[in-house]
Every structure is written in structure tokens, then in C-alpha cells.
Amino acid sequence: MGWTREEMAARAARELKDGYYVNLGIGIPTLVANYIDPNVDVTLQSENGILGLGPYPTGAEVDADIINAGKQTITELDRTSYVSSADSFGMIRGGHINLSILGAMEVSQDGDLANWMVPGKMIKGPGGAMDLVAGVRRIIVLMDHVDKSGTPKFRRACTLPLTGARVVDTIITTHAVFERPNRQSRFRLVACAPGVTPADIGAMTEAEYDA
């Protein structure tokens, strides 16, 4: 049992507030655009220079020239605007983005994030992740609760190279949601997926957290 990718994205979309400027990372986070409450006025930002992204396009709407930072096709809104990459990162580094939703390979119990490199594997680089975790006011992570071998991804300490230290505020996994009120506090288990008990979460989680 557990949440699907779409259900995780829908849960993350509930964290978006009226007036927010939001950056969505590559992977599951891009699905969040499809679940934003139409009564909530949110502006999505992509670090390749787009302000005001729409949801995923239907087959008839695909325009290969309109892509996000992950090279996925997107739709425009009537208020979509385009800026240089330098200006886009200026928004991020200047603290003008309220929230970023990112994927992760590991998160530590202190909120450290590892999401860009696995040693020994070919990589293209960290992209904008390090700028995002340093400049954005709040970070939500979406990830599997365990990896393919069953190893917990919410750990006491990250084993992979860090993207940022003490930067994660909320974790939404396939099985649970963890939150903390500030970056000096411990994470607390606030929700379990249907069919999953707090005891199940304890058995599949390495990190220490409050129940």
C-alpha cells in the first residue's frame, strides 16, 4: 500500500498558498502543476527562465519549443513571461520564491538533502538544486520511502553528497508525511498513506522523528 506519484503530487499541491511563487523540481514535483486548486492564485517558476507555467499539455497542445528546466513540454498561461536564466536565478538567490518542491535520493533527520549525485554514476551536474535550497524560503521533498533494495531514504545521516544542509521543511513519501515547524526542530509524522500504520512507518524508517 502507499500513495501513487499522482497522489503524492496532489498532497504537495495542498501546501501551495494564494500569492505564492513556486519552483517545481524535476520528476514527481512537475506533476504538482496538475493538482493546484483553481481558487488558489499561484505562479510557477522554472529556472530556465519561465514565470507562469501551466499544467502538462495534452497531445494537441504540445509545443516542443516550450519546455521547463527538465526539458518537459509545458503549457503557457495568459500571463506567462520569459526572462533570462540570469534573471531567473536572481529570483531564486534573492529570496523571491516562496516554495520549491524537489525530488530526493536521501533526506537526513536534520533536514539535509541529497538529490543530485550517486558516486560512480555519470551525472550532468546539480542543475539549480543548490541555488534553490539556499535561496528559497521553504523546501518540500517528494520521494519514495525506501529505495529499490528496501533501504530507507529518510535516514539518520545522508550517505550521498549533499545538496544542502538543514534545508528540508516537509517530506512527502510514498507512505507518509513528515513536517517540522522550523529548521532547528525534529520532524514529526503527520500523516500515513491509506493502509499504512505509524508502526509500519517506524519499521521502514531509519531517521528519528516525533510521532
Side-chain angles (χ1 to χ4, degrees):
M1 299 292 289
W3 284 310
T4 64
R5 290 162 54 95
E6 289 74 17
E7 289 169 332
M8 292 167 65
R11 176 63 179 77
R14 290 163 46 188
E15 301 296 319
L16 277 56
K17 307 299 182 185
D18 208 47
Y20 269 19
Y21 287 81
V22 179
N23 178 284
L24 301 180
I26 296 170
I28 301 176
T30 61
L31 299 175
V32 172
N34 294 333
Y35 296 96
I36 299 173
D37 186 334
N39 296 312
V40 176
D41 183 13
V42 170
T43 301
L44 299 180
Q45 187 256 16
S46 182
E47 57 264 39
N48 62 327
I50 307 175
L51 192 62
L53 288 74
Y56 269 127
T58 63
E61 294 174 325
V62 170
D63 183 335
D65 292 325
I66 305 175
I67 59 172
N68 61 20
K71 299 181 174 60
Q72 297 168 312
T73 55
I74 60 158
T75 56
E76 294 177 303
L77 303 173
D78 57 8
R79 66 185 187 188
T80 299
S81 60
Y82 296 89
V83 300
S84 71
S85 180
D87 287 334
S88 184
F89 275 92
M91 296 176 197
I92 293 167
R93 294 167 182 161
H96 303 293
I97 306 300
N98 300 94
L99 173 67
S100 184
I101 303 175
L102 302 173
M105 298 170 186
E106 295 177 340
V107 177
S108 80
Q109 64 190 30
D110 291 329
D112 302 339
L113 172 65
N115 78 340
W116 73 280
M117 178 184 179
V118 176
K121 293 190 177 181
M122 187 175 71
I123 58 169
K124 296 180 180 179
M130 292 181 179
D131 294 274
L132 288 166
V133 299
V136 175
R137 302 176 198 177
R138 185 175 174 219
I139 301 295
I140 296 176
V141 162
L142 303 183
M143 67 179 184
D144 292 333
H145 201 93
V146 298
D147 65 18
K148 293 179 180 178
S149 67
T151 301
K153 298 180 73 169
F154 186 24
R155 309 178 62 102
R156 288 190 178 88
C158 292
T159 64
L160 298 173
L162 294 186
T163 308
R166 291 185 177 270
V167 295
V168 178
D169 302 290
T170 299
I171 306 166
I172 300 173
T173 78
T174 45
H175 290 75
V177 178
F178 301 90
E179 292 181 346
R180 58 180 180 170
N182 57 66
R183 294 180 177 177
Q184 287 71 49
S185 299
R186 283 163 56 104
F187 282 96
R188 181 171 63 89
L189 175 64
V190 297
C192 298
V196 179
T197 68
D200 294 331
I201 299 302
M204 65 174 70
T205 305
E206 181 187 284
E208 296 181 1
Y209 58 88
D210 295 330

